[in-house]
Structure formats: structure tokens, C-alpha cells
Amino acid sequence: MTVVNARRVALRSLAGCAAMVAAPAAWALREPVEEQVRLSQAQSRAFQAWMLRIVNAQIERGPSPRWIHRDCAGLVRFAVNEALTVHDAKWLHANGIASDRRLPPELELDAHQAALRNRWVQTGGTVGHFVTALALVQHNSRFIAREISQALPGDLLFFDQGDEQHLMVWMGARIAYHTGTVTPDDNGLRTVDIKQLTTWKDTRWQPVPNNPNFAGVYRLAFLS
């Protein structure tokens, strides 16, 4: 068996679970995340608000030139890293975000918390600026539930389709994701409401417990 085929078999085993038992995909991703620096509850709420504001800016204005790797995991990495930065006037101007009363409070991170930016645990335990969708949930997030009702804004919906994995961002009333470009003018960004997604014709993308391809809701590990 080749390395590629072996990987495909392993990934399919994560998705091929029965609806009435704990899904292997979700079960495999419930491994404890290493102890690390965490944000306080107030900082976590501010982070979540900034993350949503940044994702919304990509949807409303189009992808920022500073967002380089444009795929589903790239959207999450970009939004997380930008939410962890200082949102001064220069940053607001560069990101096309107006300074107004609706801006979330600053996170006021200490040096250890600020070092979380661009620090992703990769498969194998190394740390770097890049991480795949699978490693993002395996090593940088914690499992919350397979029920969408348990999601908080900024949580991640993880889907395992066997040969590939996909992340979506729970925005509260809607779900945002990057699906890849379809036409030259398409930036790949999409939003749907929960009713649309739970009744999606392609049932592999429905975020419901009886969908074996839906691994569940995940929350970034550094959040309280």
C-alpha cells in the first residue's frame, strides 16, 4: 500500500462512523490539547468579537491582500492571527475597518499571550506559522459537541470527507467558510444560515449529529 493510499484509508476510517455511536472522526480528535497559555474570559470574549469582525470584513470587502493562503484553514489562521494583534489606527486602515463605537475592546495581552499569534502546533509537535485544517482541530482546538446548539461565535465546524477536511466558522446567526473559487471573479467566500446548512441537499455538509462526515464543534484551545 502506497503512502497516499494509506493516508486515504486512515482518513476514510475517521469519516466512516455509525450515527448511534461516537464517531471515530470526532473521537480521534478529542485527544487532550497540551497545556498552554490561555486568555481570560474577558479576553476570550473580545477575541471572539474581533475574529468575527475580521471574517465579516473579508466577506464584505473581499479578501485582504495580507491573507495569503486562501482556503478554509487559511481563513481561520488569518482571522485568529489578526484578532490577536493590536488594533490601532494603522491596523484599522490597512484592514478597511472603520473606527467606531461598535469596535470590540482591545484584548490587552501580556507577552506570553501575544506570543500565541502565528504559533500553531503542527502534526508531530512542531510549532510554526502554518497548519492544516486537520491539525488545526487536532492540536490547536478542543472538542465541544456534535450539536450546533453548543457552538459559540468563533467556534469551528469540522467536516471530514475522507480525502479532504473542511472548516467553517460559526458566526452566531450565520456560518462563514471558504470553498475555493468557481469563476475568475469569485473570491471563494460564502455565508449561509444554519437552516440552509442543516437542510443542505448534499447531506455530507449538514452539521447534525447523525451525519458521519460532521466531526463536531471545536473551540480554539487558548480560549477560556
Side-chain angles (χ1 to χ4, degrees):
M1 182 181 291
T2 66
V3 174
V4 172
N5 286 335
R7 181 176 182 275
R8 286 178 177 174
V9 170
L11 290 174
R12 286 193 180 100
S13 69
L14 290 176
C17 57
M20 293 185 292
V21 297
W27 180 262
L29 297 175
R30 292 183 193 179
E31 297 174 359
V33 179
E34 294 181 5
E35 286 296 322
Q36 59 173 277
V37 175
R38 286 202 177 190
L39 306 187
S40 68
Q41 289 186 351
Q43 289 172 321
S44 295
R45 288 193 295 269
F47 168 87
Q48 291 161 328
W50 275 111
M51 183 175 174
L52 266 59
R53 189 69 180 262
I54 291 160
V55 172
N56 271 322
Q58 308 313 300
I59 295 167
E60 294 171 359
R61 299 176 57 88
S64 165
R66 297 167 55 244
W67 173 17
I68 300 173
H69 299 107
R70 295 181 185 173
D71 56 19
C72 65
L75 174 62
V76 174
R77 292 194 306 270
F78 176 77
V80 169
N81 290 332
E82 293 304 305
L84 287 170
T85 197
V86 176
H87 309 102
D88 55 18
K90 182 179 179 180
W91 183 91
L92 292 171
H93 178 74
N95 286 273
I97 295 177
S99 178
D100 55 41
R101 296 179 181 178
R102 296 177 299 166
L103 287 179
E106 278 301 299
L107 277 64
E108 304 295 343
L109 303 176
D110 63 31
H112 295 292
Q113 293 169 325
L116 291 168
R117 189 170 187 267
N118 276 316
R119 184 177 175 83
W120 299 101
V121 180
Q122 303 162 336
T123 301
T126 57
V127 176
H129 295 279
F130 180 85
V131 71
T132 63
L134 181 61
L136 202 156
V137 294
Q138 278 186 324
H139 308 302
N140 299 272
S141 306
R142 62 183 184 274
F143 176 77
I144 299 301
R146 298 196 73 213
E147 294 76 23
I148 194 70
S149 61
Q150 301 302 307
L152 294 178
D155 282 351
L156 309 176
L157 311 185
F158 183 67
F159 294 84
D160 191 328
Q161 305 295 2
D163 288 341
E164 61 182 16
Q165 294 76 42
H166 193 63
L167 288 172
M168 299 183 183
V169 180
W170 175 245
M171 306 287 285
R174 298 183 66 79
I175 296 159
Y177 60 97
H178 190 282
T179 188
T181 58
V182 177
T183 67
D185 297 328
D186 177 21
N187 62 25
L189 289 164
R190 304 283 190 276
T191 61
V192 294
D193 62 39
I194 186 60
K195 183 178 180 180
Q196 284 178 289
L197 198 56
T198 53
T199 58
W200 206 258
K201 289 184 177 180
D202 187 344
T203 58
R204 296 176 305 158
W205 299 107
Q206 294 179 1
V208 293
N210 63 354
N211 174 13
N213 298 111
F214 177 54
V217 176
Y218 289 81
R219 188 164 301 152
L220 293 163
F222 58 77
L223 296 177
S224 294

